[in-house]
């Protein structure tokens, strides 16, 4: 019978799904298990085993894998569990079945933990929600757990766990600081994307990004690293990196992911690979005690960590790969409810922010001081005035955005107009005003839509020449429930081209962008609306 603790039944879709303290707890357990396995200490090993032949662990790999798939399979066998594998080539995926229907079906066959690799980003997050409803409807004994074993260019959280464990092993278990060079295909490499939040386990983080511009780290992850307080530097090649003195003692290589590259980049693959391949002549430039890591595989003909380095003290990648099985055994123990009772939560679990962002202003208090309309706009007798639009942007940007607001808010057919107004005190500052005589009052859902397309604006409801109601709109913490919105990432499970029926959901980041709840791609609020389905 399983224990119920804070880990039981959770999913791991992105590395942030485990807090820093939870990961530290996991690493402490991995250390104990690793030692026990090295010493063949069966008594300790048994403390980690789920030891239930009916406990279903299902592997679904829709992209190739050796390490992740086989280390999880070995980890699942360690647990004496029921281990299954979906053969995707002959599954009903090929008859157009959705992810939700497929995994609901497998959940119903007494399976509890699913390990999924797919090129579709955000699959596990979607299934976590969708399959819990199925479990509830069908009174299954537990909602299923999903472990992301790598989703497209998004994240690879279990690789991140084993990477962090290996860095800590080489850091004498100190979490004080890390200086890490990320080298290679930082654009397509999901293992380096997980580092943007993963490295937060270290108190001070210096990251050097080494990649030619074609393979550079996407803005989403650069933004997140900055938000997390990492010190960042960028170099286009190893050669350029070695021309300066502040060189990292840990290097993390990733392979050029040819299978994800377009023709334009593929034509230059030899030149690009050379910029991220370690060469013999660099040996004299690196620091003593440097360690190299690699999630692997490396290419047999063109490895970026050449094989002459295998038998040198630089080699951290072989132990890193071996650690994968220990980490995955303990992860299954935790999520399967076998261990974790000893963990004392030291932080509140993050709840989705539900703060108010539409504020009704006391009209009586402001009316004498504010005019109903600004310069150039004729007062209207009844209708709507949306004011303070895109304050601070250029007049042409404001005009463009007002056209978008009008279309998004279904105001194109109404009479009225748009106006760009200069600030009274700061004559170089502009704002937009949309006025629509006789337009009807907005519903609560329309107010939310206005806040999402024009945060910072005010909405005046005019009746008989007076402001009857006034609302101030702030940036919403989440944007969802609008059928015409979608993430702009075509590989995302919520993109309409995937036809999985996943509604768009964005959450506000600290720097006031909106991250897709599935694939993590960040958008400005304008980008979200520009790409909407008409
Ligand atoms: N590191 C990693 O994910 O390797 P595989 O693709 O072989 O699973």
């Amino acid at each position: 019978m399983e224990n119920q603790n804070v880990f039981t039944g959770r999913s791991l879709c992105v590395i942030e799904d485990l807090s820093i303290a939870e990961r530290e707890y996991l690493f402490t357990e991995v250390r104990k298990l690793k030692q026990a396995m090295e010493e063949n200490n069966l008594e300790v090993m048994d403390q980690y085993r789920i030891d239930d032949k009916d406990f279903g662990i299902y592997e679904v790999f829709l992209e190739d894998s050796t390490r992740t798939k086989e280390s999880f399979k070995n980890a699942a066998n360690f647990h004496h569990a029921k281990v299954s594998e979906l053969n995707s080539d002959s599954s009903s995926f090929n008859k157009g079945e959705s992810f939700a229907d497929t995994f609901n079906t497998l959940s119903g066959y007494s399976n509890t933990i699913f390990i999924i690799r797919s090129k579709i980003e955000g699959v596990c997050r979607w299934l976590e929600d969708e399959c819990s409803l199925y479990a509830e409807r069908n009174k299954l004994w537990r909602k299923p757990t999903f472990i992301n074993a790598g989703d497209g260019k998004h994240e690879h959280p279990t690789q991140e766990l084993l990477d962090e464990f290996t860095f800590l092993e080489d850091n004498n278990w100190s979490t004080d600081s890390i200086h890490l060079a990320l080298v290679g295909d930082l654009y397509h490499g999901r293992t380096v994307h997980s580092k943007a939040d993963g490295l937060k386990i270290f108190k001070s983080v210096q990251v050097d990004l080494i990649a030619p511009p074609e393979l550079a780290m996407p803005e989403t992850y650069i933004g997140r690293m900055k938000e997390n307080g990492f010190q960042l530097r960028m170099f286009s090649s190893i050669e350029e990196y070695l021309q300066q003195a502040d060189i990292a003692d840990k290097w993390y290589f990733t392979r050029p992911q040819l299978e994800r590259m377009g023709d334009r980049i593929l034509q230059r693959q030899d030149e690009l690979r050379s910029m991220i391949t370690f060469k013999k002549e660099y040996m004299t430039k690196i620091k003593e005690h440097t360690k190299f890591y690699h999630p692997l595989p490396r290419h047999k003909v063109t490895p970026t960590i050449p094989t002459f380095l295998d038998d040198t003290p630089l080699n951290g990648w072989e132990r890193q790969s071996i650690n994968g099985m220990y980490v995955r055994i303990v992860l299954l123990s935790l999520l399967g409810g076998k261990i974790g009772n000893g963990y004392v939560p030291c932080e509140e679990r993050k709840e989705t922010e539900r703060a108010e962002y539409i504020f009704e202003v006391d009209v009586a208090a402001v009316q004498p001081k504010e005019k109903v309309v600004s310069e150039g706009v004729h007062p209207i007798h009844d209708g709507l005035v949306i004011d303070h639009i895109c304050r601070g942007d250029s007049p042409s940007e404001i005009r463009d955005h007002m056209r978008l607001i009008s279309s998004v808010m279904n105001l194109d057919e109404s009479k009225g107009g748009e106006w760009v107004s200069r600030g009274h005190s700061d004559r170089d500052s502009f704002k937009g005003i949309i006025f629509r005589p006789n337009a009807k009052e907005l519903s609560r859902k329309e107010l939310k839509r206005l806040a999402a397309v024009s945060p910072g604006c005010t909405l005046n409801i005019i009746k008989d020449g007076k402001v009857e109601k006034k609302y101030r709109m702030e940036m919403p913490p989440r944007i969802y429930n609008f059928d015409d919105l979608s993430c702009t990432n075509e590989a995302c499970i919520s993109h309409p081209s995937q036809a999985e029926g996943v509604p768009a959901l964005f959450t506000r980041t600290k720097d006031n962008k909106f991250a897709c709840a599935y694939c993590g791609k960040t958008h400005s609020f304008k980008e979200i609306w520009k790409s909407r389905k008409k």
Side-chain angles (χ1 to χ4, degrees):
M1 202 57 200
E2 66 168 15
N3 292 310
Q4 281 294 333
N5 57 56
V6 292
F7 295 102
T8 315
R10 297 244 303 269
S11 288
L12 179 66
C13 310
V14 294
I15 191 64
E16 278 274 270
D17 286 345
L18 289 176
S19 70
I20 293 170
E22 287 169 344
R23 276 180 266 160
E24 284 174 344
Y25 177 79
L26 179 142
F27 297 142
T28 308
E29 296 303 318
V30 177
R31 276 178 80 175
K32 290 189 216 160
L33 186 266
K34 181 175 177 178
Q35 189 183 345
M37 287 184 78
E38 283 171 349
E39 292 167 358
N40 198 28
N41 183 338
L42 290 179
E43 197 184 326
V44 174
M45 284 158 66
D46 283 345
Q47 291 166 14
Y48 292 86
R49 287 190 216 276
I50 293 173
D51 209 12
D52 178 353
K53 63 181 176 31
D54 294 323
F55 188 99
I57 300 178
Y58 225 106
E59 287 204 320
V60 180
F61 277 68
L62 305 171
E63 277 192 323
D64 298 341
S65 168
T66 296
R67 271 145 292 277
T68 314
K69 185 174 175 184
E70 298 307 321
S71 62
F72 259 125
K73 193 190 287 175
N74 281 279
N77 283 326
F78 169 96
H79 284 289
H80 302 159
K82 177 182 76 161
V83 186
S84 313
E85 196 180 307
L86 184 77
N87 183 348
S88 61
D89 290 343
S90 56
S91 77
S92 289
F93 274 128
N94 302 326
K95 300 176 195 163
E97 187 164 32
S98 69
F99 275 94
D101 281 354
T102 302
F103 284 89
N104 280 341
T105 305
L106 299 179
S107 308
Y109 301 155
S110 226
N111 291 298
T112 303
I113 298 185
F114 292 96
I115 300 155
I116 305 176
R117 172 169 289 190
S118 165
K119 66 178 191 316
I120 313 297
E121 300 174 17
V123 171
C124 287
R125 179 68 77 224
W126 168 238
L127 292 175
E128 183 191 16
D129 294 342
E130 204 54 18
C131 294
S132 321
L133 297 175
Y134 179 90
E136 240 174 75
R137 280 197 300 274
N138 291 285
K139 301 189 176 36
L140 302 186
W141 77 284
R142 197 175 100 172
K143 73 181 175 74
T145 287
F146 291 92
I147 298 177
N148 176 7
D151 58 341
K153 302 188 296 298
H154 180 214
E155 282 220 24
H156 195 342
T158 65
Q159 178 72 44
E160 179 56 24
L161 290 175
L162 74 96
D163 292 347
E164 289 171 26
F165 181 80
T166 313
F167 297 152
L168 286 169
E169 243 178 3
D170 291 335
N171 240 20
N172 212 8
W173 304 106
S174 164
T175 55
D176 285 349
S177 66
I178 187 166
H179 184 184
L180 183 69
L182 298 177
V183 190
D185 185 352
L186 308 185
Y187 183 79
H188 301 95
R190 53 197 171 205
T191 63
V192 288
H193 299 165
S194 287
K195 302 251 159 325
D197 286 322
L199 292 175
K200 277 168 33 183
I201 59 158
F202 296 97
K203 292 176 191 77
S204 160
V205 180
Q206 188 176 345
V207 175
D208 298 331
L209 304 172
I210 306 174
E214 292 84 347
L215 303 180
M217 183 69 91
E219 271 308 315
T220 290
Y221 301 102
I222 290 185
R224 207 170 303 157
M225 285 183 177
K226 286 182 181 161
E227 215 175 77
N228 289 334
F230 299 0
Q231 256 181 282
L232 276 188
R233 297 185 302 165
M234 289 168 214
F235 302 87
S236 62
S237 66
I238 296 179
E239 199 165 306
E240 185 194 328
Y241 184 53
L242 293 176
Q243 277 164 15
Q244 51 86 51
D246 189 10
I247 296 169
D249 62 348
K250 292 184 173 57
W251 292 41
Y252 187 95
F253 287 78
T254 60
R255 75 187 171 91
Q257 301 208 4
L258 304 179
E259 71 277 20
R260 298 187 208 279
M261 292 180 189
D263 288 344
R264 194 181 55 83
I265 306 183
L266 275 177
Q267 279 163 11
R268 298 185 49 226
Q269 59 175 291
D270 292 342
E271 180 197 340
L272 298 177
R273 189 184 293 107
S274 166
M275 295 165 86
I276 51 174
T277 297
F278 195 80
K279 302 187 178 109
K280 264 203 178 103
E281 62 260 35
Y282 300 153
M283 288 295 274
T284 53
K285 306 251 176 90
I286 55 176
K287 279 185 181 166
E288 214 186 334
H289 307 303
T290 297
K291 282 273 181 246
F292 284 0
Y293 307 92
H294 197 308
L296 304 174
R298 60 178 169 179
H299 197 275
K300 61 186 175 188
V301 181
T302 53
T304 54
I305 295 185
T307 49
F308 77 86
L309 293 172
D310 288 3
D311 202 14
T312 69
L314 288 172
N315 185 342
W317 60 90
E318 289 177 352
R319 186 169 30 88
Q320 177 191 1
S321 165
I322 293 167
N323 283 339
M325 189 184 66
Y326 302 124
V327 167
R328 288 174 174 130
I329 287 174
V330 172
L331 181 67
L332 292 175
S333 303
L334 279 173
L335 304 183
K338 177 65 190 177
I339 62 166
N341 281 359
Y343 173 75
V344 181
C346 56
E347 71 257 291
E348 298 266 308
R349 299 255 308 120
K350 220 170 43 183
E351 288 295 326
T352 312
E353 208 182 330
R354 293 206 181 274
E356 187 50 79
Y357 54 95
I358 299 170
F359 298 95
E360 186 163 358
V361 178
D362 180 358
V363 205
V366 296
Q367 196 137 14
K369 285 181 252 148
E370 264 193 36
K371 287 191 287 180
V372 168
V373 292
S374 304
E375 70 179 76
V377 180
H378 294 295
I380 61 175
H381 192 259
D382 291 291
L384 307 179
V385 176
I386 306 170
D387 199 355
H388 302 281
I389 296 168
C390 294
R391 184 181 272 287
D393 286 358
S394 71
S396 69
E397 283 173 316
I398 295 172
R399 270 186 211 101
D400 281 351
H401 199 63
M402 287 197 293
R403 273 193 286 277
L404 183 69
I405 295 171
S406 175
S407 157
V408 163
M409 296 306 297
N410 236 342
L411 294 172
D412 280 348
E413 302 303 317
S414 320
K415 279 194 260 167
E418 287 87 40
W419 188 258
V420 175
S421 159
R422 247 177 214 282
H424 292 295
S425 46
D426 178 0
R427 301 297 287 165
D428 288 331
S429 168
F430 298 91
K431 65 171 183 172
I433 303 162
I434 295 176
F435 52 101
R436 292 286 185 271
N438 304 320
K440 66 176 178 51
E441 203 173 318
L442 303 186
S443 65
R444 176 74 188 165
K445 186 163 181 184
E446 286 166 328
L447 286 175
K448 286 183 172 182
R449 202 166 162 84
L450 180 61
V453 70
S454 186
C457 79
T458 54
L459 170 71
N460 300 284
I461 315 285
I462 315 294
K463 282 256 165 72
D464 297 327
K466 284 204 172 118
V467 179
E468 188 191 66
K469 279 189 191 162
K470 187 183 190 77
Y471 297 95
R472 186 165 53 77
M473 309 291 176
E474 291 191 356
M475 201 166 254
R478 302 201 305 163
I479 300 180
Y480 63 106
N481 222 359
F482 298 123
D483 293 343
D484 52 345
L485 289 189
S486 72
C487 175
T488 57
N489 175 9
E490 285 184 13
C492 176
I493 184 92
S494 72
H495 193 272
S497 64
Q498 300 299 343
E500 293 284 340
V502 181
L505 165 58
F506 302 95
T507 52
R508 194 181 64 209
T509 63
K510 282 186 204 150
D511 59 351
N512 285 336
K513 294 220 164 118
F514 285 92
C516 170
Y518 300 102
C519 74
K521 182 172 179 186
T522 51
H523 307 71
S524 68
F525 73 89
K526 290 182 182 174
E527 278 166 340
I528 288 179
W529 291 98
K530 273 182 193 155
S531 62
R532 81 191 202 284
K533 296 169 264 175
K534 302 238 172 71

